[in-house]
Amino acid sequence: MKEYILLLLVFFSCCCHAQIQVIRTETEAMDFIANQGNIYQAKAEELQAILQDFVLEPLLYSTEKQSEPKMYGLKDQAYVTSKALKQSETTKNAIKTGKMIEEPTTMTVKNVTMEPTTISVTNTTIDGTTLIVTEITEEPASTQCITDLKTFGSDILEEEHYALMMLDSYGKLPPGILQGNILWLGLYDQCLKQSREVDDNQANFTAQYCLASIIKDNNLQPILNVGVCVPDSCNNDELMEYLNIFDESNITVSVMCHKEFDYSSGAIACLTLIAFLGCLILVGTATEAFNKYQESETENKGFERLASKNQTILTDNEQTKTTSVNGPSRVTTIDVGGENTHGFLIQFLLCFSLLTNGSKILKAKQGEGSLGALNGIRVLSLWWVILGHNYVTTMTILSNPSKILDVLSRFTFQAIGNATFSVDSFFFLSGLLVTYLTLKYLQNNKGKLNWVMFYVHRYLRLTPVYMLVIFIFTTLTPHFSTGPLYSFALDPNPPSGVGNSLKYCQDYWWTNLLYINNLYPSELMRECLAWGWYLANDMQFFIISPFIIYLLYHYFFAGIAAWCILLLTCFSSLIGESIKHDLTTEFLPTNPNQTHFANDSAYVQPWTRISPYLVGMAVGYILFKYQGRIRMSLTMTLLGWVTATVTGLAVVYGLYGNFHDNLLSKAATVVYITLCRFAWAIALAWVVFACTTGYGGPVNSLLSWSAWIPLARISYCAYLLHPIIMFVFYFSLSTTVYFSDLLMVYFFLGNLVISYAAAFVLSVCAEAPFMALEKLLLKREKSV
């Protein structure tokens, strides 16, 4: 029956305030919903009118008699008009009633009355109204959904416990509407626990939780999201059909109901793969423990050698020792057993040993000549990435999202708002290392480079664990948790026309396998593992890097020319994108025709992001060429540190004026967008150069701290996993959270620790075994 569908519309606007709880009249609810779309653009006096008309007066003054209704809300009221309200004095507290006046539609509702009722739920009295429709034209065909809704409505009047609990589970008008709170989730767990089990010859049913998104003027962004609790016989399509009965209104309702996911064939295959990998790990660990026990028994030292010998990777067949950067570098190999001690099968199993792989990761030592300061930069940069993602992901579940606008305007918050520069740190480090190590390899091999193995090693180093994470994310994530938003955000089979991260991975995982996901699909948020755009760029930079490095080694000026051409291409691309798309440095552009410079066209394309990588290559060449044999005066050292510090701070904090009506000019905007990432890399270049040549002082001591080494080894896995951990946590929350600085610090630290813990497990169980297998199968003794 339509009356019960209209009853759902009334439930959408349920509100509570202290001990006074009122179900809004239909007119007030629809007026309120319509006005939320313009709430941020409203003038101060209009916002005050909304607060008075929609919150204070209905909640605090609902007992007063009114002879005429107020015209609530802002200007756009075309879809509904208010009419005279009749007063009911059958109870001590009068409750306003009203009628919906429609524009002519194919559906006509007549003789609508509102009767007062009193509902008691756990010693709390709710004064409400029950909508009764006595005549409906063009009644739709009866379905089980309608029958159960009718039963549900009747049981509410009869004060059945399950029905009252379902009603109480509905999302209600919360505080913080003016702070952007449009996510009224209700009580997810309470809803799912309810079921009708009454022997009255009527169908029994179980409750299901649904999220109704109210959309105005076909905008993609809902003006309101409300949790509702309905019988499980109602599906998404039926609810949407019933709720969108006013065909000519500019309000539509989209509904997505909670799902219990079955294990797909892909999920079963993923679990089988993980189980097989787990068996190999158990057998490999047991094999190594048994071998070492036998050795220790022979030498009568018990298990004392177990820890000491863990420093040797049996499957590596060698330990690599690099001489100091102050002198010529040469790689020597020391046989530690390998093929001379064990057969192939034993070596294969030892690749999966937790003892070997765990000790390798946790060992806080590096060979002589290693660039120790890079470990600190790598770890701190990843923390910066996680911090930025922590704020971005939390935005989806905040009850006061507009608070972010105030936070962004703080000077101290600029480092978080500009966290995208942390990715440029990784590009810089990658360019530096590939150049430095490749030049050393060329030096040790008479200028020759094994081009095939150069690319094969890189691909096998990154891809297996990358594909495993995508496989787990796409197939098993829906089963990790549950919550009011979880099955909607992580639905492996979303409704037609609806996309989410899992759906994109099902469609585009192959682009990640080929490292072209930053080019196709063209939209960042449609990529599989959207944060994988960095890996695609880094791989593409790696592919072209040996050509420049080879030229630098054999034909220096030709290499410099190639380097300059790439840098000028990057600058030209950024200038062109800035002018073409009218990019701005404003975080939230006031001009709707402008977009922030971190948009898809300028953020994920390789030709706009290569400048930090090129700076890293230049530093790598300098470190290789001079081997740390550089002497600088105190004045030059201080000048370098001051210049690098000022440059870095200017890049990160230079946009502070945007939040205080001090916008950059058009020309300054283009200059900043073109040079900001290059300038950040220049600042990092000095830090690495000074630390490597002995002029780093306390900065070098901090960045070279041995505690960074184990964390740096698992940085790759932590980068892959941390957004998934955030998705699972935030989308499984049963209610929204109120933003505060202390809460965000707490969330960040929790996400950081859990991300690294999960990264260690992934690294010791997958990344390290795959690396050992590569060495075993390809018999690779030396690599770049």
Side-chain angles (χ1 to χ4, degrees), residues 229-248:
C229 190
V230 297
D232 60 356
S233 58
C234 299
N235 59 40
N236 297 345
D237 294 334
E238 287 177 324
L239 290 174
M240 284 191 286
E241 178 183 354
Y242 298 151
L243 293 177
N244 293 296
I245 59 175
F246 304 108
D247 297 333
E248 296 184 5

Side-chain angles (χ1 to χ4, degrees), residues 207-220:
Q208 70 170 336
Y209 179 90
C210 301
L211 190 69
S213 300
I214 302 176
I215 301 169
K216 180 182 178 184
D217 297 329
N218 296 320
N219 290 329
L220 296 178

Side-chain angles (χ1 to χ4, degrees), residues 71-319:
M71 298 298 293
Y72 295 105
L74 300 177
K75 302 175 182 178
D76 187 4
Q77 301 257 38
Y79 71 99
V80 66
T81 59
S82 298
K83 218 176 181 184
L85 303 177
K86 299 180 180 179
Q87 300 300 315
S88 172
E89 308 218 9
T90 57
T91 60
K92 180 178 179 180
N93 293 328
I95 301 175
K96 295 184 288 184
T97 62
K99 285 186 178 181
M100 175 72 73
I101 305 298
E102 302 182 68
E103 295 295 330
T105 64
T106 57
M107 180 69 68
T108 305
V109 180
K110 301 179 181 179
N111 299 328
V112 180
T113 61
M114 307 292 288
E115 296 183 357
T117 185
T118 301
I119 302 174
S120 297
V121 181
T122 61
N123 300 322
T124 300
T125 299
I126 302 177
D127 293 329
T129 58
T130 302
L131 182 64
I132 299 178
V133 180
T134 59
E135 181 181 349
I136 298 180
T137 63
E138 300 184 20
E139 181 177 349
S142 176
T143 65
Q144 187 62 45
C145 175
I146 293 178
T147 300
D148 290 344
L149 284 172
K150 179 179 179 180
T151 302
F152 172 45
S154 300
D155 289 346
I156 291 177
L157 296 177
E158 296 176 6
E159 300 187 20
E160 294 288 347
H161 178 73
Y162 90 90
L164 299 183
M165 296 294 282
M166 286 179 63
L167 175 61
D168 188 51
S169 300
Y170 274 67
K172 301 174 180 68
L173 178 65
I177 300 300
L178 300 183
Q179 297 187 55
N181 188 2
I182 61 171
L183 192 60
W184 308 350
L185 296 179
L187 297 176
Y188 169 82
D189 294 329
Q190 177 174 303
C191 173
L192 294 184
K193 291 178 181 178
Q194 308 310 314
S195 61
R196 186 181 192 277
E197 298 178 356
V198 181
D199 187 12
D200 58 357
N201 296 323
Q202 296 189 48
N204 293 332
F205 54 79
T206 300
Q208 70 170 336
Y209 179 90
C210 301
L211 190 69
S213 300
I214 302 176
I215 301 169
K216 180 182 178 184
D217 297 329
N218 296 320
N219 290 329
L220 296 178
Q221 180 66 36
I223 60 174
L224 188 62
N225 299 280
V226 185
V228 297
C229 190
V230 297
D232 60 356
S233 58
C234 299
N235 59 40
N236 297 345
D237 294 334
E238 287 177 324
L239 290 174
M240 284 191 286
E241 178 183 354
Y242 298 151
L243 293 177
N244 293 296
I245 59 175
F246 304 108
D247 297 333
E248 296 184 5
S249 70
N250 61 346
I251 295 293
T252 56
V253 182
S254 175
V255 181
M256 294 186 67
C257 292
H258 165 80
K259 295 181 180 179
E260 293 289 346
F261 301 116
D262 296 327
Y263 282 89
S264 64
S265 57
I268 296 174
C270 187
L271 289 173
T272 303
L273 176 61
I274 293 175
F276 178 70
L277 184 60
C279 291
L280 290 176
I281 291 171
L282 289 176
V283 174
T285 304
T287 300
E288 182 174 4
F290 179 74
N291 288 342
K292 291 192 174 184
Y293 176 75
Q294 286 186 320
E295 294 175 7
S296 63
E297 285 293 304
T298 301
E299 299 179 12
N300 196 26
K301 292 184 179 181
F303 278 93
E304 293 179 2
R305 293 192 47 171
L306 188 63
S308 62
K309 292 202 69 175
N310 278 344
Q311 297 179 2
T312 299
I313 308 303
L314 296 181
T315 55
D316 285 353
N317 300 325
E318 63 182 29
Q319 287 182 331

Side-chain angles (χ1 to χ4, degrees), residues 592-663:
N593 296 321
Q594 291 184 312
T595 56
H596 190 260
F597 72 97
N599 72 335
D600 292 348
S601 62
Y603 190 71
V604 302
Q605 309 301 337
W607 45 84
T608 61
R609 296 305 298 266
I610 197 174
S611 60
Y613 195 91
L614 293 174
V615 174
M617 294 184 70
V619 175
Y621 179 83
I622 293 173
L623 294 180
F624 166 77
K625 186 68 174 179
Y626 294 97
Q627 300 294 327
R629 298 187 299 269
I630 297 178
R631 297 291 177 265
M632 293 185 296
S633 64
L634 179 61
T635 302
M636 181 64 68
T637 303
L638 291 176
L639 180 61
W641 277 109
V642 170
T643 302
T645 302
V646 171
T647 301
L649 292 177
V651 169
V652 176
Y653 292 93
L655 300 179
Y656 175 66
N658 283 347
F659 299 95
H660 299 277
D661 299 324
N662 188 17
L663 302 179

Side-chain angles (χ1 to χ4, degrees), residues 663-768:
L663 302 179
L664 297 179
S665 65
K666 287 284 186 180
T669 297
V670 173
V671 171
Y672 180 87
I673 293 174
T674 303
L675 299 179
C676 63
R677 304 191 185 281
F678 177 77
W680 174 255
I682 292 293
L684 278 182
W686 169 260
V687 173
V688 173
F689 177 77
C691 291
T692 305
T693 55
Y695 296 95
V699 175
N700 181 54
S701 299
L702 173 63
L703 295 179
S704 301
W705 185 29
S706 60
W708 299 126
I709 298 174
L711 297 177
R713 291 194 180 106
I714 60 177
S715 292
Y716 176 52
C717 291
Y719 180 80
L720 291 176
L721 290 178
H722 78 272
I724 301 175
I725 291 171
M726 292 182 187
F727 291 159
V728 172
F729 171 68
Y730 289 127
F731 290 140
S732 63
L733 293 178
S734 57
T735 185
T736 56
V737 297
Y738 192 86
F739 176 91
S740 69
D741 293 321
L742 185 60
L743 181 67
M744 296 306 295
V745 171
Y746 197 80
F747 280 170
F748 166 66
L749 293 177
N751 287 324
L752 186 68
V753 172
I754 296 175
S755 295
Y756 271 91
F760 176 77
V761 174
L762 180 64
S763 183
V764 77
C765 294
E767 183 184 25

Side-chain angles (χ1 to χ4, degrees), residues 434-501:
V434 71
T435 303
Y436 181 74
L437 295 177
T438 302
L439 289 172
K440 290 172 70 70
Y441 183 90
L442 290 172
Q443 183 184 58
N444 295 328
N445 290 272
K446 299 180 180 180
K448 296 180 180 180
L449 179 65
N450 188 333
W451 294 82
V452 174
M453 290 307 302
F454 181 86
Y455 293 118
V456 169
H457 168 60
R458 179 69 171 186
Y459 188 83
L460 294 180
R461 165 69 181 87
L462 299 179
T463 308
V465 68
Y466 188 23
M467 290 298 104
L468 179 61
V469 170
I470 291 178
F471 197 15
I472 294 174
F473 175 69
T474 307
T475 59
L476 297 183
T477 307
H479 307 284
F480 286 168
S481 186
T482 185
L485 299 174
Y486 198 85
S487 63
F488 312 138
L490 298 171
D491 186 354
N493 297 298
S496 177
V498 177
N500 60 25
S501 298

Side-chain angles (χ1 to χ4, degrees), residues 42-63:
K43 296 179 181 179
E45 60 270 18
E46 291 175 324
L47 289 176
Q48 182 61 35
I50 293 174
L51 179 63
Q52 175 68 28
D53 294 346
F54 291 108
V55 180
L56 298 180
E57 185 168 311
L59 293 177
L60 303 180
Y61 308 110
S62 60
T63 60

